[in-house]
Amino acid sequence: MSKKIESALISVFYKDGLDKIVKLLHENDVKIYSTGGTQSFIEEMGIPVIAVEDLTSYPSIFGGRVKTLHPKVFGGILHRRDNQDDVKTAAELEIPAIDLVIVDLYPFEETVASGASEDDIIEKIDIGGIALIRGAAKNFQDVLIVSSRTQYDDVFEILSAKNCGTDFDDRKKYAKLAFGTSSHYDSAIHAYFAGIEDGGNFRASEQTPLRYGENPHQSASFYGNLNEMFTQLHGKELSYNNLMDVDACVRLIEEFEDLTYVIVKHNNACGVATAATSHQAYLNALSCDPVSAFGGVIITNGNVDLATAAELHKLFFEILIAPSFDADALEILKKKKDRRLLIRKEVKTSKKQFRTLLNGVLEQDKDLSTEKTADFKVVTNTVPTDDQNKALEFALKICKHLKSNNVVLAKDGQLLASGVGQTSRVDALKQAIDKAKEFGFDLNGSVMASEAFFPFPDCVEIAGNVGVTAVVQPGGSIKDQLSIDYCNENGIAMVMTGVRHFLH
């Protein structure tokens, strides 16, 4: 049964999109209470509004630190309409019922991120707002709480459809979102005081239910704001598995400055290439493994032009991510209705990783180490050439983003093949060699990268026999010298980085 809103308290920091809700409330004879800048905003719309100070008979004090913290405000929100004692007390103390609370919070995280002084940061710790949100959410039996500007559009649709009324399910839904907002906010404040740069503070207030998880029998949700990272230009919503592949794409493309295309399938790169043009980079990436590329997710760090779009359109793929698209390229790519096209925005992502495990959660720093030529320690008599060093850097960037155990074979800015997720590194190498041969690659003059050390010289021996001329690995095995000796005997260059890149 719908419950009509008779009165509302509105006090927000961000006012964009608020006007249509205020107009709707006014048109439905809802009494509006407000404070400060929000009150002025409503008055400028020519809509009657009652100052909270007039309700409480108490001024805003301490530079606005105390405005709404008063029994007439919180009593109006928290008294139970079906409790005779509460209703009687409210009447005796002239406490009006408040049925709708629209409140957001001071931008604490944004202030921290801006590099502001500690005094400015402390002033952005909201007290009254967080209390209003929690109070209204607690009394969701009677009150609708709107705790974020991201909710304005949906709330407007609900109120429009129900003549400024709300159902129980509406109020409970927004109470859940409100407690997510308060949880996130308090976690951010705790992280600041604890000196935690990134506390893995998932935005429960921005929960997006997904159709299902990895499999149809698993329910799933995404916690976060995808709109901060991407603008979706076309296609249906992203699934759980899509998001896993998108994350793998983003992590890998961040390794490259030159124009690059990456194709990912089941979280592993099956095609990576760097070239002078978008068209050539894509064709080279596709040729790595055109079979696995079918149904994959593709990302590039360059603009997608018409010529590249024409080639892309020949392949069935799930998602294409780029910083920009030419208009004529979009026209072609949009011909497949379910194909997702995303513009990637420049957004700083978390430096932490979290994984549920057993009865708890594992937390670690992301693997942000990327070794370059200057970090290479040459351990063989043969020193890598400049071209080989460039190829080794390229291979190592891919290697660190593939499931262990893995081996990468590459040449001339192109992934030739990889072996991934094997229990034996020898098996990973054999897998890579077989795939390279399957797709017609000549491994003579190629390089090999391994994310962990070689416990025996068998891998360098196998690689040398197919034409690999340079190897990069972290080193650290008690039998490193055996691999070095084989390379010396066969004119293979080997460098060590001292950095392992396990990925499980």
Side-chain angles (χ1 to χ4, degrees), residues 199-384:
N201 189 7
F202 306 116
R203 297 188 175 187
S205 60
E206 298 179 18
Q207 177 190 8
T208 303
L210 304 174
R211 283 183 297 159
Y212 53 80
E214 282 185 283
N215 300 291
H217 62 275
Q218 296 171 266
S219 62
S221 293
F222 174 75
Y223 291 86
N225 186 354
L226 287 176
N227 293 327
E228 289 182 353
M229 286 206 66
F230 307 104
T231 298
Q232 185 162 350
L233 303 177
H234 185 68
K236 59 185 180 181
E237 65 185 18
L238 299 175
S239 69
Y240 182 100
N241 291 331
N242 290 156
L243 291 171
M244 292 287 288
D245 284 336
V246 166
D247 178 66
C249 279
V250 169
R251 285 188 283 110
L252 183 48
I253 201 69
E254 286 180 342
E255 299 283 354
F256 296 94
E257 295 179 2
D258 294 335
L259 180 56
T260 302
Y261 267 76
V262 171
I263 305 173
V264 164
K265 191 73 171 288
H266 298 307
N267 296 173
N268 284 307
C270 60
V272 184
T274 295
T277 66
S278 177
H279 182 258
Q280 193 60 53
Y282 168 66
L283 290 178
N284 289 353
L286 178 64
S287 69
C288 298
D289 186 349
V291 175
S292 295
F294 183 86
V297 175
I298 304 172
I299 191 168
T300 179
N301 55 8
N303 176 63
V304 178
D305 57 24
L306 178 61
T308 312
E311 293 294 339
L312 283 158
H313 188 59
K314 297 175 184 177
L315 176 72
F316 168 73
F317 60 86
E318 293 279 353
I319 304 166
L320 174 60
I321 310 165
S324 59
F325 295 80
D326 285 345
D328 49 6
L330 279 176
E331 188 176 345
I332 289 178
L333 293 168
K334 286 183 177 180
K335 289 181 179 179
K336 298 285 180 68
K337 68 174 184 177
D338 290 336
R339 177 184 284 162
R340 291 87 154 182
L341 303 175
L342 306 179
I343 290 180
R344 183 184 169 213
K345 303 175 185 177
E346 290 297 325
V347 176
K348 184 186 294 185
T349 55
S350 172
K351 293 182 180 179
K352 296 285 186 180
Q353 289 180 312
F354 298 84
R355 177 181 292 178
T356 57
L357 185 147
L358 300 175
N359 64 344
V361 176
L362 285 175
E363 175 267 324
Q364 69 170 351
D365 296 335
K366 279 186 177 177
D367 183 356
L368 300 177
S369 178
T370 301
E371 295 75 50
K372 297 186 178 181
T373 300
D375 305 303
F376 293 168
K377 178 184 177 183
V378 181
V379 294
T380 51
N381 298 330
T382 302
V383 177

Side-chain angles (χ1 to χ4, degrees), residues 79-117:
H79 82 268
R80 294 158 290 189
R81 277 57 157 182
D82 61 353
N83 183 297
Q84 291 186 356
D85 289 339
D86 284 11
V87 172
K88 180 181 177 182
T89 300
E92 289 173 351
L93 299 177
E94 298 181 340
I95 296 174
I98 296 175
D99 308 314
L100 168 65
V101 176
I102 304 177
V103 177
D104 62 10
L105 300 169
Y106 292 155
F108 178 83
E109 289 173 284
E110 292 88 337
T111 305
V112 172
S114 73
S117 68

Side-chain angles (χ1 to χ4, degrees), residues 355 402-405 451 500-504:
R355 177 181 292 178
L402 301 179
K403 298 295 183 183
S404 299
N405 288 323
E451 97 285 5
R500 189 182 71 188
H501 290 290
F502 272 167
L503 179 63
H504 295 124

Side-chain angles (χ1 to χ4, degrees), residues 149-160:
R149 56 179 167 168
T150 62
Q151 301 165 10
Y152 289 173
D153 288 342
D154 288 342
V155 169
F156 176 77
E157 294 300 325
I158 290 170
L159 298 182
S160 296

Side-chain angles (χ1 to χ4, degrees), residues 19-84:
D19 53 341
K20 61 184 180 183
I21 295 180
V22 173
K23 289 177 183 177
L24 181 63
L25 296 175
H26 175 59
E27 291 166 359
N28 284 270
D29 299 320
V30 175
K31 185 181 294 184
I32 300 175
Y33 299 94
S34 191
T35 64
T38 308
Q39 178 186 338
S40 299
F41 173 80
I42 297 171
E43 288 172 341
E44 289 170 5
M45 294 174 61
I47 291 176
V49 57
I50 301 169
V52 166
E53 288 93 335
D54 293 338
L55 170 63
T56 63
S57 300
Y58 223 94
S60 172
I61 58 176
F62 308 133
R65 280 189 164 198
V66 179
K67 292 181 289 190
T68 57
L69 295 167
H70 192 279
K72 283 203 171 182
V73 174
F74 282 87
I77 294 169
L78 282 164
H79 82 268
R80 294 158 290 189
R81 277 57 157 182
D82 61 353
N83 183 297
Q84 291 186 356

